[in-house]
Amino acid sequence: MSMLYRIIWIILFTMMLSYNCSNQTITAPEPINPIPSSRQLAWQEMEMVAFVHFTTNTFTDLEWGNGDEPESVFNPTEPNPLQWATELKNAGFKELIFTCKHHDGFCLWPSKYTEHSIKNSPYKNGKGDLVLETSEACKKVGIKFGIYLSPWDRNHADYAQPGYITYYRNQLKELITNYGPISELWFDGANGGTGYYGGANERRTITSSYYDWPNTIKLARSLQNEDFVVFSDNGPDVRWVGNEEGWVGETNWNMIDPDTALIRRPGFEKIIGSGMENGSHWIPSEVDVSIRPGWFYHASEDNRVKTPEQLFDIYLNSVGRGAVLLLNVPPDRRGLFHENDVKSLQGFRQMLDQEFKTNLALGAKITVSSVRGNSDEFDADKLLDENSETYWATDDNITSGSIELVLQKPQTIKYVALHEYLKLGQRVKAFIIEGLIDNKWVTVAEGTTIGYKRILKIDPIITNKIRVKITDAKGCLTISGIQIF
Ligand code: FUL
């Protein structure tokens, strides 16, 4: 072999070797269990869902009907589920959960298992079916439909006895079979004790096993595919957040030991409001709150509708902390969302659009402290590709790291949003955000968990450099996105 030939051969061989090295398959990190199911992820991606509370209470001015309200009180003059669904959709809500039956036991569909329903009301001379009208309105405007069926029933004579469980399951069957597909089943934990109960007018208590939830849920799933999530205090798919004020803990783990959520010990709300770093099950929190002080419409609260600014704060304290927001908007006695509520919803949407109008991170130069196996598949670009299926990752033993963004020019910055790749489990435990101000890195925000989405509101700064330092995590880092507004 001539010398020249040998040199060419060595160069080619070295090139081939280095090509192979940089392209060898670097495996993805192992998941840190528990991880979300596909239906939990689909629910999470909705970000904002809505409640519509409507029943006899709307006409009797109560929050919890006793169960003895005559059916004749339910008499909306111009109910318009299409207006509800349209306003909710326009404001950004992806699902409407309807109170098909609240604690008073009055059914908004003509259930064949009770006389205490819309069929004995003046509405459409007893021919109306608001569950049907609402589910159809949701289909028409393109949002999902969920069912709230109160387990506690202050009207039913058999409540607290075994017969009521059969009744409850029959109603669930009617709802899922005739009005589906549904996307969420909402089992309220409220059980207040006293009620009409078929005329007994007494206090009735139940034990924690009374409803036999595992079998009720099994039945529900057997009636439809398994796509819908089930909410209750402790899941199995979605958990209560421990308050009805519109916030989840700043630290918000999607995991919890389900039994913890059932034990009403002091501090219980705080535990379910923050989740558990090493909880055994993936049961994320849904933040339920009403646009008004009450869950049902009361004319006396017309001037106490939450403002767009209040709703925006609720958004930051729920969606912005990795939870899903469940906002209630109750129709009035006409059966319409009141003008004040509509105005607030519209103002809220405008604020969201305005505050998160331009993602300044797009077009920025991005660098990270290290990349898993130096592989293109897990590099910094994955933070800006607006694809939730790709992510920046570090090597297995690297549980901290930084992301630095250099914007094209100095900009006023008010929010930084981070997203974790949840299919591999929730990991980040602590991070700080810094801005380069007068040539010095200044900490502008600190946080603990990230989860699906974490929005940090910062006192506005003007800079062209932002740095996120993740200081602690349960395993190597898997971050799918960063946004700057
Ligand atoms: C509570 C109920 O008692 C309220 O009336 C409302 O339905 C709220 C969503 O859940 O537990």
Side-chain angles (χ1 to χ4, degrees):
M1 220 188 280
S2 81
M3 195 53 158
L4 183 64
Y5 188 74
R6 233 183 245 182
I7 290 171
I8 291 174
W9 194 88
I10 288 171
I11 290 173
L12 279 177
F13 185 71
T14 322
M15 277 172 69
M16 218 173 74
L17 257 186
S18 73
Y19 177 84
N20 273 339
C21 281
S22 68
N23 278 277
Q24 67 178 288
T25 317
I26 302 294
T27 53
E30 286 295 317
I32 298 182
N33 288 317
I35 56 170
S37 63
S38 54
R39 61 173 175 254
Q40 287 172 318
L41 280 174
W43 164 87
Q44 183 85 58
E45 281 163 12
M46 291 195 286
E47 296 192 6
M48 299 205 301
V49 300
F51 245 152
V52 171
H53 272 63
F54 198 36
T55 186
T56 56
N57 294 342
T58 315
F59 302 88
T60 53
D61 229 359
L62 293 174
E63 274 292 304
W64 281 3
N66 188 46
D68 57 358
E69 296 73 24
E71 292 79 38
S72 56
V73 299
F74 187 80
N75 193 12
T77 48
E78 42 179 318
N80 189 350
L82 202 55
Q83 182 228 16
W84 316 338
T86 307
E87 292 299 344
L88 291 172
K89 169 144 189 194
N90 290 346
F93 293 86
K94 305 280 191 287
E95 176 192 73
L96 185 165
I97 303 175
F98 192 45
T99 53
C100 302
K101 177 187 87 165
H102 201 250
H103 308 329
D104 52 77
F106 182 80
C107 300
L108 294 180
W109 80 104
S111 171
K112 68 174 183 219
Y113 299 103
T114 180
E115 291 305 304
H116 196 47
S117 87
I118 200 163
K119 72 184 173 200
N120 290 318
S121 80
Y123 175 58
K124 291 192 176 169
N125 293 320
K127 298 277 174 285
D129 182 343
L130 274 170
V131 176
L132 183 68
E133 290 173 43
T134 307
S135 62
E136 283 182 343
C138 289
K139 266 186 216 123
K140 193 160 183 186
V141 306
I143 58 173
K144 294 180 181 171
F145 178 65
I147 282 174
Y148 170 109
L149 183 70
S150 172
W152 183 28
D153 189 320
R154 303 175 93 191
N155 172 264
H156 205 275
D158 290 345
Y159 183 75
Q161 288 150 29
Y164 174 74
I165 301 303
T166 310
Y167 172 74
Y168 188 79
R169 289 183 180 162
N170 280 337
Q171 294 204 316
L172 210 49
K173 251 190 244 171
E174 277 186 318
L175 290 171
I176 296 181
T177 313
N178 300 334
Y179 306 98
I182 59 159
S183 51
E184 183 159 353
L185 203 45
W186 218 88
F187 294 134
D188 198 328
N191 280 291
T194 60
Y196 171 72
Y197 304 126
N201 279 310
E202 58 188 12
R203 170 177 292 276
R204 291 188 180 175
T205 49
I206 52 155
T207 61
S208 58
S209 58
Y210 173 61
Y211 295 113
D212 182 15
W213 287 122
N215 281 313
T216 303
I217 293 168
K218 211 159 142 196
L219 167 80
R221 294 218 186 279
S222 73
L223 300 167
Q224 196 191 304
N225 60 35
E226 309 245 317
D227 287 352
F228 60 91
V229 289
V230 175
F231 167 99
S232 84
D233 281 4
N234 69 335
D237 296 311
V238 179
R239 75 172 190 260
W240 187 43
V241 74
N243 70 74
E244 290 179 336
E245 295 150 16
W247 56 274
V248 64
E250 251 182 275
T251 296
N252 177 23
W253 292 104
N254 289 296
M255 299 81 83
I256 198 152
D257 295 342
D259 288 348
T260 318
L262 288 179
I263 305 165
R264 297 282 203 263
R265 61 180 165 198
F268 140 90
E269 290 90 348
K270 191 164 180 304
I271 299 174
I272 59 172
S274 291
M276 300 165 91
E277 183 184 323
N278 294 310
S280 58
H281 288 64
W282 186 276
I283 308 179
S285 52
E286 190 173 63
V287 177
D288 61 318
V289 59
S290 185
I291 197 167
R292 289 166 169 254
W295 291 97
F296 289 91
Y297 175 83
H298 309 288
S300 58
E301 294 178 350
D302 281 351
N303 293 321
R304 297 177 67 198
V305 175
K306 292 190 174 67
T307 61
E309 290 75 15
Q310 286 172 313
L311 295 177
F312 184 73
D313 274 348
I314 287 175
Y315 173 88
L316 291 180
N317 293 336
S318 53
V319 179
R321 292 178 178 176
V324 166
L325 167 62
L326 170 54
L327 180 74
N328 175 59
V329 188
D332 60 16
R333 289 185 183 178
R334 294 170 298 175
L336 295 174
F337 283 175
H338 187 272
E339 289 70 6
N340 295 358
D341 304 46
V342 170
K343 211 167 136 210
S344 265
L345 283 176
Q346 292 173 349
F348 170 48
R349 179 74 252 166
Q350 276 162 16
M351 272 195 85
L352 287 174
D353 291 344
Q354 161 79 27
E355 295 298 285
F356 304 126
K357 195 166 164 193
T358 313
N359 177 8
L360 301 170
L362 297 177
K365 192 170 156 290
I366 189 163
T367 48
V368 288
S369 48
S370 70
V371 171
R372 185 176 184 80
N374 286 323
S375 156
D376 294 352
E377 202 184 329
F378 303 109
D379 69 10
D381 294 350
K382 306 300 168 291
L383 290 161
L384 295 183
D385 64 1
E386 297 191 300
N387 178 352
S388 58
E389 288 302 317
T390 62
Y391 52 95
W392 162 55
T394 56
D395 282 336
D396 281 343
N397 54 345
I398 309 285
T399 57
S400 61
S402 62
I403 306 166
E404 193 176 318
L405 287 149
V406 183
L407 313 184
Q408 282 162 356
K409 57 174 194 222
Q411 302 268 12
T412 303
I413 291 166
K414 291 165 83 179
Y415 306 93
V416 175
L418 296 163
H419 308 258
E420 249 180 299
Y421 182 70
L422 294 184
K423 284 185 182 171
L424 295 176
Q426 189 182 358
R427 294 156 180 252
V428 174
K429 293 205 248 183
F431 63 94
I432 60 169
I433 296 177
E434 301 170 307
L436 193 75
I437 301 167
D438 294 336
N439 255 327
K440 268 200 253 109
W441 285 110
V442 178
T443 301
V444 292
E446 292 182 49
T448 50
T449 51
I450 295 179
Y452 176 73
K453 181 186 250 186
R454 183 70 206 268
I455 306 174
L456 282 299
K457 184 177 178 181
I458 57 184
D459 283 338
I461 52 165
I462 300 176
T463 184
N464 71 332
K465 279 193 183 168
I466 288 284
R467 186 161 71 182
V468 177
K469 276 189 181 165
I470 296 171
T471 51
D472 198 8
K474 289 178 72 177
C476 67
L477 307 181
T478 54
I479 310 290
S480 65
I482 181 166
Q483 294 160 302
I484 297 177
F485 303 99

